[in-house]
Amino acid sequence: MAHFSRKCYSTVKQQLQSEAGYSALVLSEMDTVFMGTYAIGNIISGKLGDTFSPTTVLSIGLFGSGMCLFLMNVSLWFDFEGFSHTLGNFFILGVYFLFGFFQSTGGPVGTAVMGNWFCDKESIKNRGLIFGLWTCHQYCGDITAALCTAYVLKAGYTYWWALFIPAVTNFSWGFLTMRLIADPVDVGIITDDVRARMEKNAKKAAAGELIEDSGPAPITYAGALRIPMVAQYAFAFGFFKLTNYVLFFWLPYFLGKHFDPVTANLIAALYSVGMMPGGIIVGVVSDLFGGRRATVIGVFMSCLVVFLGIFSQKSESLGPTALLIMLGIMGILVGGPNNIITSAVAADLASHPSVKGNNKSLGTVTGLINGCGSITASIGLLAVGPLQSAFGWSSVWMFLIGCTATGTLLMSTKIYSELFPPPETDAEVGLV
């Protein structure tokens, strides 16, 4: 539901410019404002999910997202932009400022809930597959948004219905989320993490210490950053996330310049379709290679550079069939690394021996990686509008080649350590 509401705006970007009167610069600023508050919100939300009830945090995010989309509709119904450019621009940027905070709850808090339920030895062994399958939910939301918009436009309805429908569904799903069980211990199920904490407490009690077990204390930001590789993954992920979000926000707009709005949204949906198996493929392959996820990610990103190079030269002359194939493959190459870094990789990092027995770290770790990555992405998104206006879309694709290559190079030390591990750590490569 979070991605359904997040994607719907980009599917009507062309209509916001041609019918509502918003400029390409304002649309680019909306992306940047969203990514900025989304970045900060991820860092905060991860900590909130580890500290308070995860289902409550998730529900607040859904309710707030629905409200923001409803307010966007209000601005379109009453033509704020037509009444005053200053009012229209200020209002929609303000709404998107809040929207980023509410949208940030889904990733880190949802990953923490998954970590609570899938923490046994067999699940850890197949963590890449489990989280790869789970991350498909976000692309189901993206595809639903594209199909919803295609239906709205094809049926002849006003385009704002493509924003109003996700607003209503987010509200409805928020009430359902409040009733979900975030942690198996809440229903009396003893997981390995809980058992490890109980064993520690038993040893302390045997030594005569007074024990009052109210659950593990949430990890601090400093403690999360001290976990090996967290900071490095956070920095590298920013460049991968920038590539993903440029395509996420701008692909329907780019395709709308060459195809009718319905066809543009259907073609753009293939990018999200490709991202679904991408996470599964990276997860399964990295599981087979003992958790060497950075190496698999590096291979995928290197292949993406090649496809972006082709896209930079041929994107404006390719027909629908060729575009479908290209975007499907690019979706696999982008989606795999993006999915795994913020799920299985984050879970690997949060399982480091320094925090063993504490299941109140995964949300914070995921939030830091996703949040710091989003800061880089929000800054990079500022370049898209001016680049495509001044130099054309080929310059945007070349920009993404540089971002992808930079992120891969930042992971080179980790890739090297996975390919050539010291003998004493070879068996532990999957831990970090």
Side-chain angles (χ1 to χ4, degrees):
M1 282 303 119
H3 266 256
F4 182 23
S5 59
R6 189 184 309 176
K7 179 67 174 178
C8 65
Y9 142 74
S10 65
T11 63
V12 293
K13 225 171 196 178
Q14 191 176 5
Q15 287 74 21
L16 288 172
Q17 184 176 23
S18 61
E19 297 184 35
Y22 292 101
S23 67
L25 178 60
V26 171
L27 297 178
S28 181
E29 288 172 345
M30 286 174 67
D31 296 339
T32 299
V33 166
F34 171 85
M35 289 304 299
T37 55
Y38 178 77
I40 298 169
N42 260 277
I43 297 172
I44 297 172
S45 295
K47 182 69 171 175
L48 290 175
D50 283 343
T51 306
F52 302 105
S53 168
T55 51
T56 301
V57 177
L58 289 170
S59 297
I60 291 172
L62 290 169
F63 291 140
S65 296
M67 178 57 69
C68 287
L69 288 180
F70 179 76
L71 290 174
M72 283 186 67
N73 273 285
V74 169
S75 71
L76 297 173
W77 294 337
F78 293 95
D79 194 17
F80 286 9
E81 183 71 7
F83 178 76
S84 166
H85 285 301
T86 302
L87 173 63
N89 294 346
F90 180 81
F91 185 85
I92 202 165
L93 288 173
V95 168
Y96 242 63
F97 179 90
L98 296 174
F99 190 53
F101 281 117
F102 289 120
Q103 282 283 299
S104 70
T105 60
V109 183
T111 302
V113 172
M114 284 291 293
N116 290 342
W117 281 95
F118 295 94
C119 57
D120 59 280
K121 292 181 180 179
E122 191 62 26
S123 294
I124 292 173
K125 182 180 178 182
N126 297 290
R127 182 174 276 162
L129 171 62
I130 291 170
F131 278 96
L133 287 168
W134 175 69
T135 53
C136 290
H137 72 274
Q138 54 191 313
Y139 305 111
C140 291
D142 295 344
I143 295 165
T144 302
L147 294 177
C148 176
T149 301
Y151 171 77
V152 166
L153 297 177
K154 189 175 180 62
Y157 296 114
T158 310
Y159 71 93
W160 54 255
W161 278 101
L163 300 174
F164 185 72
I165 294 171
V168 174
T169 55
N170 266 241
F171 272 115
S172 303
W173 211 259
F175 288 106
L176 175 63
T177 302
M178 292 179 69
R179 302 183 62 84
L180 299 179
I181 300 171
D183 195 330
V185 74
D186 294 339
V187 289
I189 300 174
I190 304 301
T191 63
D192 288 346
D193 282 340
V194 174
R195 189 175 294 110
R197 189 176 74 249
M198 292 171 65
E199 291 173 357
K200 287 182 180 179
N201 289 340
K203 291 179 180 178
K204 290 180 180 178
E209 294 183 36
L210 181 62
I211 302 297
E212 182 181 350
D213 189 6
S214 57
I219 194 172
T220 63
Y221 290 123
L225 288 171
R226 282 196 293 268
I227 298 174
M229 289 304 299
V230 167
Q232 190 171 342
Y233 266 113
F235 195 30
F237 180 60
F239 292 94
F240 300 152
K241 195 174 185 72
L242 173 57
T243 300
N244 178 32
Y245 268 80
V246 168
L247 294 169
F248 180 88
F249 282 126
W250 284 94
L251 198 53
Y253 179 87
F254 164 72
L255 294 172
K257 299 293 183 180
H258 305 279
F259 303 97
D260 65 87
V262 174
T263 303
N265 276 292
L266 291 175
I267 294 175
L270 260 292
Y271 173 71
S272 294
V273 170
M275 296 188 85
M276 295 172 69
I280 299 171
I281 293 169
V282 171
V284 171
V285 173
S286 61
D287 284 343
L288 291 175
F289 284 90
R292 290 173 171 83
R293 308 196 200 282
T295 303
V296 180
I297 290 169
V299 172
F300 269 57
M301 290 291 99
S302 299
C303 294
L304 178 62
V305 168
V306 176
F307 274 85
L308 284 171
I310 298 172
F311 209 65
S312 69
Q313 301 300 315
K314 304 290 184 180
S315 61
E316 300 196 46
S317 60
L318 290 173
T321 303
L323 275 172
L324 287 172
I325 296 171
M326 284 284 292
L327 291 175
I329 295 173
M330 287 169 64
I332 292 174
L333 296 174
V334 174
N338 275 270
N339 292 351
I340 292 302
I341 288 176
T342 54
S343 57
V345 168
D348 290 342
L349 296 170
S351 300
H352 190 266
S354 63
V355 291
K356 192 65 178 173
N358 186 349
N359 65 344
K360 298 296 185 180
S361 59
L362 181 50
T364 304
V365 170
T366 307
L368 280 171
I369 293 175
N370 210 357
C372 292
S374 297
I375 292 172
T376 303
S378 66
I379 297 171
L381 280 167
L382 277 174
V384 177
L387 273 177
Q388 64 94 12
S389 296
F391 304 106
W393 280 99
S394 62
S395 65
V396 176
W397 310 132
M398 294 300 294
F399 172 61
L400 296 187
I401 289 174
C403 294
T404 304
T406 301
T408 306
L409 288 173
L410 287 169
M411 292 183 60
S412 59
T413 55
K414 176 62 177 173
I415 294 171
Y416 182 85
S417 68
E418 288 185 354
L419 293 174
F420 306 101
E424 64 273 15
T425 62
D426 191 28
E428 299 176 358
V429 70
L431 292 176
V432 296

